[in-house]
Amino acid sequence: MRLRALLNTDALGLRLLGGEDELDRTVRGVMTTDLKDPSRYLSGGELVLTGLAWRHDPADSEPFVRILTSAGVAALAAGEAELGDIPDDLIVACARHRLPLFAVHESVAFATITEHVVRQVSGERAGDLAAVVDRHRRMMTPGPAGGGPDVVLDLLHSDLDLRAWVLSPTGLPIAGPTPGLAADVRARLAAEHLAATRTGRRGPHRVTLGATTYSLFPIRGWGHRPAEGGGGRTGGASRDVRETVLSDWLLAVEADAGDWAEERLDLLHGVTQLIAVERDRRDAARTVRRRLAGEVLELVQTGAAPAEIAARLRVAAPVLLPGLGSAPHWQVVVARVEWDGGEVESGPVAQALLEEILVDALPGSSDKGCLGSIGPEHSDRIAVAHTGDEAIALVPLPSVSSEPDGSEPGVLADALLQAVGEPLSAGLADDGRLTLGVSAAVHSAEGLRGALEEARHARRVAAARPGRVCAAGHQELASHVLLLPFVPDDVRRAFTARLLDPLRDYDRRHRAELIPTLEAFLECDGSWTRCATRLHLHVNTLRYRVGRIEQLTGRDLSRLEDKLDFFLALRMS
């Protein structure tokens, strides 16, 4: 479509401020941004919508317009809702670069313009595709008449013979046809998408797994907004890709988009924008749960009376688990995302990430998420807040009885790692790290503070381990495992070398198996008979080996202190 047609559409509320001679330019798409430099997301021909939050002084206008012109955008439309009249410096800069400039009346939402452009562009390029987009738009409306992303993908399949799935950044299936993609395929696609995004490559990204090629399209909320709540920044500042890479959805299409015509590529980009409407709607719906989580955690951390915390939990329970009938048990999960350099505010990143990954973390989860057994919209049953660089999730559990397979109920640390490890390691690349801590389930307000501290301690244990994505659970806090990760590496090495190196050297020279003997002796609690039986040795042979261990190390294995030193040395080695 042409700019002139947009100007002549009264419902869009556009007023021309400059560039009358350029109104025959063709519009190929639309993008909403408040980034100072949105060039990575531009491919040319877009109508760029902005609320002007990037402009802090008149000097900002010239470089912004220059970037848009270099990217080949069709025009710029600035909203009047924030500043009122469009600044003269922006008008002058657009005139200098021959970039058409529109003012958008404060009563018109950018979403209205976006949907109009998507529908009209597709319609002018291919009538049959336009019908699909229009049907998609109508199906995406909320309420009983709307079908959400699944209906959009059904129409893609029926009208264009394209099988496609919407995936979370960790590969969790958000929407798509059945049978769905295998878990390992989803994880691989999510990892490839995150790796491509971190390197700045434009979508779609093509990935071949076996004999099947997939094209991956990013799905981003309008303005690339950060997670709301907890004091996060608004979308006005220049954004770093690391602020959204771990929470953006993706559209995986079972096709090779490398040889597609522009019309079909434009259609798929339009579909991602329509699905982004659903994503933004879900984000908005999370505001109440974030606020509830923040209120409960503030009470817990400030030492409020258990009765006051319990009252707040009773308010939260119906919101998170409607129709449950009784207050649930709760778990606490703590997450921290750290980036080299520390210039990225990581609290909102961890908050948005927890909201995505926890729905796939409970035992017995179905392919549509772990909370499916407790009602519809399971992805909206977890409340996450953030304080500083730490995100904290309150996970409601309808009960704490054992699972049918005997496993522990609730979120498990190893399940978290299994669900998110591969994709998020790709998104974290070589400059980011995610650590997670999981508490036990508690059934009362009195236990919630302890659960929070337990989850925080577990996260510190995870942080002491190597790897880009690490998690630890409450089960690991009941023994020496809680302490060992915090011993400095040089102290660990010196301690283990002093006790174990003489035994290793002796074993290497004489094949005496003193180290295996020591391990078995400690595991048998110093019982000569049980240890000799386990090692298939005569008890006198065992006594000779233990005597050699004591001689080489100067320790006495009949003393509790020396036994404990050997035990810790073996665990740290």
Side-chain angles (χ1 to χ4, degrees):
M1 67 179 306
R2 299 188 184 277
L3 292 174
R4 193 179 305 280
L6 286 175
L7 185 62
N8 293 334
T9 304
D10 294 338
L12 299 183
L14 297 177
R15 180 164 52 90
L16 183 65
L17 300 180
E20 184 174 0
D21 295 336
E22 305 294 332
L23 291 180
D24 287 328
R25 289 188 182 185
T26 299
V27 179
R28 297 178 56 249
V30 62
M31 176 194 177
T32 302
T33 186
D34 277 317
L35 296 170
K36 286 185 176 180
D37 180 5
S39 56
R40 70 162 67 97
Y41 304 115
L42 296 171
S43 57
E46 294 93 348
L47 171 66
V48 174
L49 306 175
T50 180
L52 298 178
W54 50 266
R55 181 187 176 277
H56 301 292
D57 59 62
D60 292 335
S61 293
E62 170 65 26
F64 181 77
V65 173
R66 186 169 58 249
I67 288 169
L68 298 187
T69 304
S70 299
V73 304
L76 174 65
E80 295 178 323
E82 292 293 330
L83 302 180
D85 292 338
I86 305 304
D88 290 340
D89 47 273
L90 181 59
I91 297 174
V92 171
C94 287
R96 182 181 300 117
H97 291 277
R98 300 180 64 83
L99 179 66
L101 174 63
F102 298 97
V104 182
H105 193 271
E106 63 182 81
S107 64
V108 178
F110 283 175
T112 300
I113 299 175
T114 298
E115 293 184 6
H116 179 84
V117 171
V118 169
R119 185 169 64 252
Q120 294 299 320
V121 167
S122 300
E124 291 183 2
R125 295 195 172 186
D128 58 330
L129 299 186
V132 176
V133 173
D134 187 61
R135 289 165 64 192
H136 288 176
R137 181 189 62 79
R138 287 185 279 108
M139 289 295 187
M140 285 297 293
T141 58
D150 275 309
V151 174
V152 175
L153 301 184
D154 286 344
L155 291 172
L156 274 180
H157 190 200
S158 63
D159 289 33
L160 300 179
D161 196 27
L162 290 175
R163 281 165 48 88
W165 296 263
V166 178
L167 304 178
S168 79
T170 61
L172 174 71
I174 305 296
T178 54
L181 297 170
D184 59 335
V185 172
R186 289 189 274 107
R188 178 71 182 280
L189 293 177
E192 294 286 347
H193 167 72
L194 290 175
T197 302
R198 284 304 312 276
T199 57
R201 303 204 318 264
R202 290 181 177 178
H205 315 302
R206 288 177 289 161
V207 179
T208 300
L209 302 179
T212 305
T213 297
Y214 299 90
S215 297
L216 311 179
F217 295 79
I219 299 172
R220 300 185 177 97
W222 292 330
H224 310 286
R225 295 192 301 267
E228 299 174 8
R233 296 175 306 192
T234 60
S238 179
R239 305 298 305 280
D240 189 307
V241 66
R242 293 175 295 181
E243 295 185 37
T244 57
V245 66
L246 300 181
S247 57
D248 283 338
W249 290 354
L250 68 139
L251 178 68
V253 182
E254 191 179 81
D256 187 346
D259 57 356
W260 280 6
E262 286 294 320
E263 291 84 355
R264 179 160 288 203
L265 283 173
D266 286 347
L267 173 69
L268 266 294
H269 285 299
V271 168
T272 64
Q273 290 179 317
L274 293 173
I275 295 175
V277 175
E278 171 70 8
R279 173 63 191 273
D280 285 354
R281 186 173 67 85
R282 291 195 186 188
D283 282 347
R286 287 172 173 168
T287 302
V288 174
R289 292 185 300 281
R290 290 168 179 164
R291 186 174 68 249
L292 286 173
E295 291 173 353
V296 171
L297 292 168
E298 183 177 3
L299 292 174
V300 170
Q301 295 182 101
T302 56
E308 187 177 359
I309 299 173
R312 181 55 57 186
L313 285 176
R314 285 194 294 273
V315 172
V319 176
L320 300 178
L321 290 176
L324 186 64
S326 61
H329 295 76
W330 301 89
Q331 263 185 300
V332 177
V333 180
V334 173
R336 187 175 183 131
V337 176
E338 297 171 285
W339 302 102
D340 292 351
E343 66 273 14
V344 177
E345 187 181 0
S346 58
V349 177
Q351 180 187 43
L353 183 59
L354 268 186
E355 289 173 331
E356 295 293 342
I357 69 178
L358 283 176
V359 297
D360 201 29
L362 291 178
S365 63
S366 69
D367 201 41
K368 284 288 185 181
C370 63
L371 297 177
S373 61
I374 59 176
E377 296 291 332
H378 54 269
S379 63
D380 295 333
R381 299 296 183 243
I382 296 167
V384 185
H386 77 82
T387 57
D389 291 336
E390 182 181 70
I392 304 169
L394 291 176
V395 182
L397 303 173
S399 69
V400 294
S401 57
S402 297
E403 297 292 325
D405 61 359
S407 62
E408 185 175 344
V411 178
L412 300 178
D414 56 354
L416 278 178
L417 283 182
Q418 183 178 3
V420 307
E422 179 185 355
L424 292 187
S425 294
L428 293 162
D430 57 358
D431 62 345
R433 194 156 191 259
L434 168 66
T435 51
L436 299 143
V438 183
S439 80
V442 296
H443 69 280
S444 67
E446 290 87 346
L448 202 56
R449 185 170 187 177
L452 176 58
E453 291 306 313
E454 190 173 58
R456 282 174 165 162
H457 279 304
R459 193 206 64 78
R460 294 188 190 103
V461 170
R465 295 171 175 167
R468 289 289 167 191
V469 182
C470 297
H474 62 92
Q475 306 92 333
E476 302 179 62
L477 306 185
S479 70
H480 61 282
V481 177
L482 174 62
L483 303 176
L484 294 186
F486 304 104
V487 179
D489 288 343
D490 54 346
V491 175
R492 293 161 65 114
R493 286 191 294 268
F495 181 76
T496 58
R498 184 169 65 253
L499 279 178
L500 301 183
D501 279 2
L503 306 182
R504 291 180 177 129
D505 291 342
Y506 192 87
D507 281 349
R508 193 161 40 249
R509 294 196 309 269
H510 302 285
R511 299 182 180 179
E513 297 188 351
L514 296 184
I515 291 290
T517 300
L518 174 62
E519 291 176 332
F521 187 72
L522 294 175
E523 290 173 0
C524 292
D525 299 321
S527 169
W528 297 100
T529 303
R530 284 194 288 123
C531 185
T533 300
R534 173 182 292 192
L535 296 176
H536 306 289
L537 297 175
H538 191 278
V539 71
N540 288 338
T541 303
L542 175 61
R543 291 183 184 277
Y544 172 81
R545 289 187 182 180
V546 170
R548 178 62 67 186
I549 291 171
E550 294 173 332
Q551 180 184 24
L552 291 170
T553 60
R555 300 299 184 104
D556 182 354
L557 277 169
S558 66
R559 298 177 67 248
L560 176 61
E561 293 87 348
D562 288 342
K563 287 180 181 177
L564 180 60
D565 282 349
F566 277 121
F567 175 80
L568 293 175
L570 289 169
R571 291 300 182 273
M572 289 190 293
S573 63

